[in-house]
Amino acid sequence: MLQVLLIAFSVVAVAHAELCKPDAQNAFKVRLSIKTALGDNAYAWDANEEYLFKAMVAFAMRRYSSKNTTQISNVLLCNVTDRVSFWFVVTDSTKNVTTVPGSEVEAAIRMNRNRINSAFLLNDKTLQFLKISSTLSPPVEPSIPVWLIVFGVVLCVTVAGIVFLLVSGIQRRKKKNKESSETENLEEKCEVTVTIENGIPCETLDLKAGHINGVCAADDERFTSL
């Protein structure tokens, strides 16, 4: 009887060894970066951690399908390295000599990825399922409502437009006043008054222009000679 049991265990072990090996059908490789993630608080990867990993995978499989009866013994690990990487497969609980399709295992892992990461205090970058894409992070909702942001932008543009119109209007008004002032000064310089000297009308001296009326000058010379 003991020999029969030993033979049975040997057959199962050989079958499991064939099922779980690198690049085997429905097998997945896992890589953990515990030291990178936790630094001085990093824990050692040992048999207890392996048991926890098997339990989390079995949990994921059972949660993925309510009809799934996956046990911890159905999760097989192999090729474990000191740098904490290994391969695993999930065997069929009804036959135990065939593996669960990789698509089902992938779907179960993706569905429960956050729970698995939390169990080992890691994330998608430090606990990598190499054939399973990382889960998408939930969209980050802005702390300020979108409508309020749009309203603020529109309000700022409106205020900027009003300020621009006011400033440009003031500048145009100043320019217009300056031009009017220059025109008036020019007209004052051009104005010539007529006076009567010795009964003869003549233009007054334009000191700014440096021009002396010829009629007055001739009349002055005539009276001076007398």
Side-chain angles (χ1 to χ4, degrees):
M1 184 64 179
L2 181 59
Q3 291 179 348
V4 174
L5 292 175
L6 290 176
I7 293 173
F9 281 126
S10 299
V11 172
V12 172
V14 172
H16 285 179
E18 289 297 321
L19 294 174
C20 185
K21 60 183 180 181
D23 297 317
Q25 185 179 12
N26 301 323
F28 295 89
K29 186 176 182 180
V30 179
R31 182 183 296 133
L32 293 86
S33 303
I34 303 173
K35 184 68 176 178
T36 301
L38 303 178
D40 296 336
N41 297 322
Y43 51 83
W45 186 262
D46 52 21
N48 295 326
E49 300 298 332
E50 290 182 7
Y51 183 87
L52 177 60
F53 180 84
K54 293 179 181 179
M56 292 305 301
V57 173
F59 163 79
M61 295 298 299
R62 295 170 72 95
R63 189 165 179 264
Y64 172 71
S65 175
S66 58
K67 296 181 180 179
N68 200 311
T69 57
T70 303
Q71 304 294 326
I72 294 177
S73 59
N74 295 124
V75 183
L76 307 179
L77 270 62
C78 57
N79 290 79
V80 181
T81 65
D82 294 336
R83 299 187 68 176
V84 196
S85 67
F86 54 85
W87 291 78
F88 81 94
V89 294
V90 180
T91 60
D92 191 333
S93 59
T94 59
K95 300 176 182 179
N96 207 32
V97 291
T98 59
T99 56
V100 176
S103 58
E104 294 185 15
V105 177
E106 180 177 354
I109 295 298
R110 284 179 57 84
M111 178 181 176
N112 299 276
R113 188 66 178 268
N114 291 334
R115 297 288 294 274
I116 297 173
N117 290 345
S118 299
F120 296 98
L121 306 178
L122 302 176
N123 55 37
D124 287 356
K125 294 183 179 180
T126 52
L127 198 169
Q128 297 175 304
F129 292 83
L130 300 187
K131 290 184 179 180
I132 302 176
S133 58
S134 300
T135 53
L136 296 176
S137 301
V140 179
E141 295 183 359
S143 56
I144 302 176
V146 177
W147 68 266
L148 186 58
I149 296 176
V150 174
F151 175 77
V153 172
V154 173
L155 181 62
C156 291
V157 172
T158 304
V159 172
I162 293 173
V163 172
F164 174 77
L165 292 176
L166 291 175
V167 172
S168 60
I170 293 173
Q171 289 179 344
R172 284 197 299 268
R173 183 174 297 177
K174 287 183 177 180
K175 184 177 181 181
K176 185 176 181 180
N177 293 337
K178 183 177 180 181
E179 291 177 352
S180 299
S181 178
E182 291 177 353
T183 302
E184 292 177 356
N185 292 336
L186 184 60
E187 290 177 352
E188 290 178 357
K189 291 180 180 179
C190 293
E191 285 181 353
V192 178
T193 58
V194 179
T195 59
I196 302 298
E197 291 187 7
N198 299 324
I200 301 173
C202 64
E203 297 177 348
T204 58
L205 175 64
D206 190 352
L207 297 177
K208 293 182 180 181
H211 174 72
I212 301 176
N213 184 270
V215 177
C216 293
D219 188 68
D220 288 342
E221 290 177 359
R222 181 168 56 86
F223 283 101
T224 303
S225 59
L226 293 175

